[in-house]
Amino acid sequence: MSTGVIIALIVVVAVVLVAAAVLALRARGPRHGGSLKRRFGPEYDLAVARHDGDTKAAERELAERVRRHGSLRTRPLEPAERERFVARWTAAQERFVDSPREAVAEADRLLAELAGARGFPDGGQYEEQLTALSVHHAHHVEGYRRVHRATHAGVDGDGAGTEELRASMVEARALFEALTRPGRHDGGGAGRRTGTEGAPAATARPSHTWSRAKRSPKES
């Protein structure tokens, strides 16, 4: 085989390898974006909107969140600790009938404390805590954002209406349930005997009808 043929073969192989590498890089990009979209769900759409439709910038932001908080390992709640949080949330829901703003403010404080107890950044660092929560509870974190915004809007004098407060409280419940729900390694059988929302079955069930049951006294 002549030297010219050998060189030609080497060039062909090099071109094939470069083309394969380019195709692999192109394929990796969409998969990465797709995995972020699946992981973050509504948070992905919010990030894209915040970056004026620039999906690449949004994905860089979300990838950075995963880099910073993806390896966070949460701490399980002790049964008595979980019961105290559930009791406080139930009391806040009941308070909503007469004092909706105070109830929402308590929900905001309670979620901050609960997230801190589970091992997320301290509630005093709201933005950092919210970012970490978005990595692990992306489909539920918007409720926390809403009660926090409603609480501080009230302080600034531009308060939300009762219906908006009620909606934020209901949505925040999803994150509360996710954070109080026992994990697979949180107490074994004791966790499996609780209600499906992570609170004891006797207290978890009535809470789902709260938004409807508490509406009548104020609106009748």
Side-chain angles (χ1 to χ4, degrees):
M1 186 179 293
S2 67
T3 302
V5 173
I6 293 174
I7 292 174
L9 288 174
I10 291 174
V11 170
V12 169
V13 170
V15 169
V16 170
L17 290 175
V18 169
V22 170
L23 290 174
L25 287 173
R26 287 180 178 176
R28 185 181 305 172
R31 280 203 302 270
H32 179 64
S35 66
L36 285 172
K37 190 167 187 175
R38 286 190 299 274
R39 176 168 191 162
F40 282 95
E43 284 292 300
Y44 182 95
D45 296 330
L46 286 173
V48 171
R50 188 163 54 250
H51 287 280
D52 298 321
D54 187 341
T55 57
K56 295 300 182 184
E59 287 170 7
R60 283 195 296 271
E61 176 193 326
L62 297 176
E64 174 62 15
R65 294 192 203 182
V66 174
R67 187 192 68 79
R68 286 162 53 196
H69 302 292
S71 61
L72 184 147
R73 293 293 177 264
T74 57
R75 181 185 74 80
L77 295 175
E78 295 293 333
E81 192 176 20
R82 179 177 293 110
E83 289 176 8
R84 285 194 296 271
F85 278 117
V86 169
R88 288 178 59 190
W89 185 272
T90 301
Q93 290 184 156
E94 293 172 350
R95 186 182 308 163
F96 188 93
V97 177
D98 298 314
S99 304
R101 293 195 186 284
E102 291 181 12
V104 169
E106 172 62 10
D108 180 41
R109 287 190 296 268
L110 184 53
L111 285 172
E113 292 178 28
L114 176 56
R118 291 302 310 271
F120 289 92
D122 182 79
Q125 309 170 56
Y126 167 72
E127 292 295 343
E128 189 70 6
Q129 187 182 68
L130 188 74
T131 298
L133 284 166
S134 75
V135 173
H136 297 270
H137 297 283
H139 291 268
H140 304 312
V141 75
E142 177 63 14
Y144 182 22
R145 186 182 284 117
R146 288 186 67 179
V147 294
H148 187 81
R149 186 166 57 233
T151 297
H152 290 274
V155 170
D156 296 337
D158 185 22
T162 302
E163 284 304 315
E164 185 178 346
L165 292 172
R166 178 184 285 110
S168 67
M169 189 88 170
V170 170
E171 189 171 2
R173 172 79 192 188
L175 180 61
F176 175 81
E177 290 173 344
L179 291 173
T180 53
R181 183 182 301 120
R184 287 176 297 177
H185 306 293
D186 296 5
R192 288 191 293 273
R193 288 194 294 272
T194 62
T196 57
E197 309 304 337
T203 59
R205 188 172 299 136
S207 64
H208 289 290
T209 60
W210 167 77
S211 61
R212 294 190 298 274
K214 299 300 183 183
R215 187 186 297 260
S216 300
K218 298 294 286 183
E219 297 176 357
S220 59

